[in-house]
Amino acid sequence: MTYDDMIRHYREWRSLPGMFFDQAHRLGMRPLLFAKRDGFYHSISWLEAAGQVRSLARALRALGIDRGERVVVLSENRPEFPIAELAIMAAGGIVVPAYATNTVQDHLYVLENSGARAAIVSTRALTERLLPAAQASSGCRAIIAMEPWPRDQTGEVKMLSWGHLLAEGEHSHLGVEAWTSALQRNDTACIIYTSGTGGAPKGVMLTHGAILTNCMGAYDLLYELGLDDEVFLSFLPLSHAYEHTAGQFFPLSIGARIFYAEGVEALARNLVEVQPTLITAVPRLYESFRRRILTAMERESAFTQYLFAKTVELGSRAYEGKKPLSPAERGFNLLLEFLVRRNVRNKFGGKLKAFVSGGAPLPYEIGLFFIALGVRLLQGYGQTEAAPVISCNRPNPNRIATVGPPVLDVEAKIAPDGEILVRGEMVMQGYWRDAASTAAVLKEGWLHTGDVGFIGDDRSITITDRKKDIIVNSGGDNISPMKVEGRLALEPEIAQAVVFGDRRPYLVALIVPDPEFTDAWAKRHECKNDLSSLAMNAEFQKALGVAIERANGTLSQIEHVRRFTIADAGFTVENGLMTPTLKVRRHKIREMYGVRLEALYAGP
């Protein structure tokens, strides 16, 4: 299919189920969804998936799920996730994806706020967490369990079987095609709840057209890489807008194969097994990849370490162009393609066309590291409120210090106060049942992103910080915490860092030491490897202080971290200090560590 044909399809498709059924008719028995079972990946074809979507849509209609009804989907990444979503949409309903990490109270909030009538849940463990919330809610009266529910269920919430509903729907004659044909691009497809970095999450209403135009922008962006038989490895939460669009609906729209990772802990193995061609991930993962590569290199011979260092050096210089390579260096750099870079690419399966980074700012040093090693990394930018893609670097030119130009059919401009404003079909309809918050960010068709930055002559957007996160110190200077935190986290002794200093004379930091550094330091000094104990150790604090001083040496005077304290544990999704997409919840950290952070300003 030509580029023009695909763009026309994107503009003509009226709904996500309509797009899916169109692709299923064209691709037939071609494998689509892959999940591991008994040690091997097993596939579901396009026609098989389409049959399940139709059957479940009929069963949902029979349960009373009609146009506009909300249905929660709570599941880890697996083939049933897109099947459930597409069935809900085909029935005319609105999907409400929920994070697998949600607490009972989180689920109750989403159920009550969305007014969901039912929920589709995968595992028994997730059902155990959702059920009390459903029982306490005022509207959710049915849970459809993908896995068998072992107990008799009494009360107002019915427990229904995924398998039984599929069987019932298969024998029904209700017309799914007619329901799908009635859908329009401006109908609400889903309500995706923001991950709550600053308080209670808001329900973002996204239309079918918003997600389809996002997919079109991604297709236009990546077309020059030669999109053909693409393979995706899905591992970010599908309940988040980034993976929801880029890891699910975009692959469906181009007829790609989707493999589901066994989990983050198995990611390295799955990459080699699946050999993905495109990977979408957040900066935190790329930082982890970099750290693993560097740690593995420490165990290699001196000669191998030399070759690796030269690869990074020459690759960085070739990309930046500040100091041109001599003829001899160009020849050596070409040789390193075979000696080093090919081996690095093989760690990611060997067929990777591009990494795409989104969800948070990518530190320039991380992007440069991978580019120098011959791994294409494209930094993009988006928000849940924009379905979510706003801009992204194209393969050529790739200006990794920016988040690239707006994708196809997206407009961007800078407000007088520096805020980035965007407009296009991808912009949300508004926040569910929250007119005041909607009015605060949607003005005359423009989405006020809350991000501050500027647009270059080549239309590339550079983001300097979140408008609400900018630190204004006591001297009136504006400081980007993300820039300082990103620089601190590059030090091998530091795993995570959060800085504070609003209305204060200098910055302070909460530091999570790197576990490998901590373990090695404790063994070397024959002391207990426990953060609470090490935090009281003057020598350990001194070692971290040296790392902070190294970082300070690359920052301006006002960005220097003067004092720090050590966190009791790392920031994780489980302890509530990070969102499911690995963004730090600053308000939660302030609540937990506020007294200790304030104490850093006491004394001279």
Side-chain angles (χ1 to χ4, degrees), residues 56 59 280 311 317 326 343 374 383 386 497 570:
L56 185 57
T280 56
T311 303
R317 283 175 52 196
S326 67
N343 292 332
Q383 292 187 341

Side-chain angles (χ1 to χ4, degrees), residues 532-603:
S532 59
S533 300
L534 290 172
M536 305 300 291
N537 188 303
E539 289 301 314
F540 184 73
Q541 290 187 29
K542 184 177 180 181
L544 287 178
V546 170
I548 290 173
E549 283 308 308
R550 285 200 305 268
N552 282 343
T554 66
L555 299 167
S556 69
Q557 190 66 36
I558 62 170
E559 294 170 323
H560 284 193
V561 173
R562 290 269 299 275
R563 293 178 178 176
F564 69 94
T565 187
I566 299 172
D568 299 328
F571 313 142
T572 67
V573 176
E574 289 70 27
N575 64 21
L577 298 183
M578 297 193 85
T579 71
T581 51
L582 307 183
K583 295 178 183 176
V584 171
R585 285 189 163 119
R586 295 178 186 274
H587 68 292
K588 290 290 185 183
I589 290 176
R590 279 195 294 266
E591 288 174 11
M592 184 175 292
Y593 291 100
V595 173
R596 284 161 60 178
L597 290 166
E598 285 299 317
L600 295 176
Y601 290 103

Side-chain angles (χ1 to χ4, degrees), residues 52 61 81 96 100 133 136 148 161 178 185 197 206 214 258 260 267 292 311 334 350 386 472 493 495 501 506 540 550:
Q52 291 186 32
R61 271 293 178 101
F81 199 112
V96 183
S161 164
R185 287 180 73 98
T197 58
L206 298 176
N214 244 220
I258 305 174
Y260 295 96
L267 193 54
R292 289 184 184 181
T311 303
L334 183 60
V472 181
E493 297 90 343
Y506 54 82
F540 184 73
R550 285 200 305 268

Side-chain angles (χ1 to χ4, degrees), residues 105-240:
Q105 285 303 311
D106 293 333
H107 286 314
L108 180 57
Y109 174 85
V110 170
L111 289 171
E112 286 293 274
N113 187 263
S114 68
R117 287 274 308 277
I120 299 176
V121 192
S122 59
T123 66
R124 292 184 187 181
L126 292 178
T127 305
E128 292 274 9
R129 202 179 302 163
L130 180 72
L131 183 56
Q135 291 170 331
S137 73
S138 57
C140 184
R141 290 298 171 261
I143 292 179
I144 300 165
M146 296 179 192
E147 297 182 359
W149 183 250
R151 304 184 224 148
D152 292 335
Q153 178 61 36
T154 58
E156 296 183 359
V157 179
K158 296 180 181 179
M159 295 300 301
L160 305 171
S161 164
W162 170 276
H164 289 164
L165 288 182
L166 284 180
E168 291 175 6
E170 188 177 358
H171 295 97
S172 169
H173 298 291
L174 295 175
V176 178
E177 281 72 14
W179 305 334
T180 303
S181 298
L183 295 172
Q184 301 297 321
R185 287 180 73 98
N186 61 358
D187 286 335
T188 307
C190 56
I191 300 172
I192 297 185
Y193 280 82
T194 59
S195 47
T197 58
K202 301 183 184 71
V204 176
M205 297 186 290
L206 298 176
T207 65
H208 293 272
I211 295 174
L212 285 168
T213 199
N214 244 220
C215 293
M216 179 179 69
Y219 175 82
D220 171 71
L221 169 78
L222 299 170
Y223 177 75
E224 65 184 85
L225 295 180
L227 296 178
D228 186 17
D229 184 17
E230 303 308 314
V231 177
F232 284 72
L233 179 61
S234 177
F235 52 89
L236 293 180
L238 280 166
S239 45
H240 187 270

Side-chain angles (χ1 to χ4, degrees), residues 459-471:
R459 298 177 61 243
S460 289
I461 300 171
T462 298
I463 299 171
T464 55
D465 219 311
R466 283 292 293 168
K467 189 175 180 180
K468 63 182 180 181
D469 288 338
I470 287 177
I471 292 172

Side-chain angles (χ1 to χ4, degrees), residues 161-429:
S161 164
W162 170 276
H164 289 164
L165 288 182
L166 284 180
E168 291 175 6
E170 188 177 358
H171 295 97
S172 169
H173 298 291
L174 295 175
V176 178
E177 281 72 14
W179 305 334
T180 303
S181 298
L183 295 172
Q184 301 297 321
R185 287 180 73 98
N186 61 358
D187 286 335
T188 307
C190 56
I191 300 172
I192 297 185
Y193 280 82
T194 59
S195 47
T197 58
K202 301 183 184 71
V204 176
M205 297 186 290
L206 298 176
T207 65
H208 293 272
I211 295 174
L212 285 168
T213 199
N214 244 220
C215 293
M216 179 179 69
Y219 175 82
D220 171 71
L221 169 78
L222 299 170
Y223 177 75
E224 65 184 85
L225 295 180
L227 296 178
D228 186 17
D229 184 17
E230 303 308 314
V231 177
F232 284 72
L233 179 61
S234 177
F235 52 89
L236 293 180
L238 280 166
S239 45
H240 187 270
Y242 183 27
E243 186 74 3
H244 193 252
T245 292
Q248 178 169 281
F249 285 110
F250 174 57
L252 291 175
S253 76
I254 61 173
R257 289 176 285 163
I258 305 174
F259 287 75
Y260 295 96
E262 298 173 88
V264 175
E265 67 284 349
L267 193 54
R269 181 176 71 249
N270 292 159
L271 284 167
V272 175
E273 293 171 332
V274 171
Q275 297 182 314
T277 59
L278 294 165
I279 293 177
T280 56
V282 293
R284 180 73 177 157
L285 187 72
Y286 298 123
E287 291 173 8
S288 175
F289 284 160
R290 175 182 177 271
R291 196 177 296 270
R292 289 184 184 181
I293 292 171
L294 292 175
T295 299
M297 193 53 53
E298 292 174 358
R299 298 190 291 267
E300 298 291 343
S301 67
F303 181 65
T304 300
Q305 291 184 34
Y306 165 77
L307 290 178
F308 183 84
K310 290 302 289 184
T311 303
V312 174
E313 177 202 340
L314 296 179
S316 299
R317 283 175 52 196
Y319 171 76
E320 293 185 312
K322 296 176 182 178
K323 184 181 178 183
L325 303 185
S326 67
E329 287 174 327
R330 286 198 299 271
F332 189 27
N333 196 37
L334 183 60
L335 179 62
L336 291 171
E337 281 287 328
F338 302 95
L339 297 178
V340 178
R341 294 189 178 98
R342 182 170 58 181
N343 292 332
V344 172
R345 287 192 288 265
N346 286 340
K347 293 182 183 298
F348 302 110
K351 295 184 179 179
L352 186 66
K353 295 179 181 179
F355 278 139
V356 181
S357 180
L362 178 75
Y364 176 76
E365 294 83 357
I366 301 295
L368 182 61
F369 176 82
F370 283 103
I371 290 172
L373 290 174
V375 179
R376 183 184 284 111
L377 199 164
L378 308 174
Q379 180 175 202
Y381 163 58
Q383 292 187 341
T384 304
E385 290 85 347
V389 184
I390 292 172
S391 69
C392 188
N393 274 282
R394 304 184 76 87
N396 292 293
N398 180 13
R399 296 185 58 201
I400 199 67
T402 77
V403 294
V407 297
L408 185 65
D409 282 4
V410 173
E411 296 178 73
K413 68 178 183 179
I414 304 298
D417 64 354
E419 185 175 7
I420 299 168
L421 313 183
V422 297
R423 181 168 67 179
E425 189 182 11
M426 83 296 176
V427 170
M428 68 171 180
Q429 294 170 301

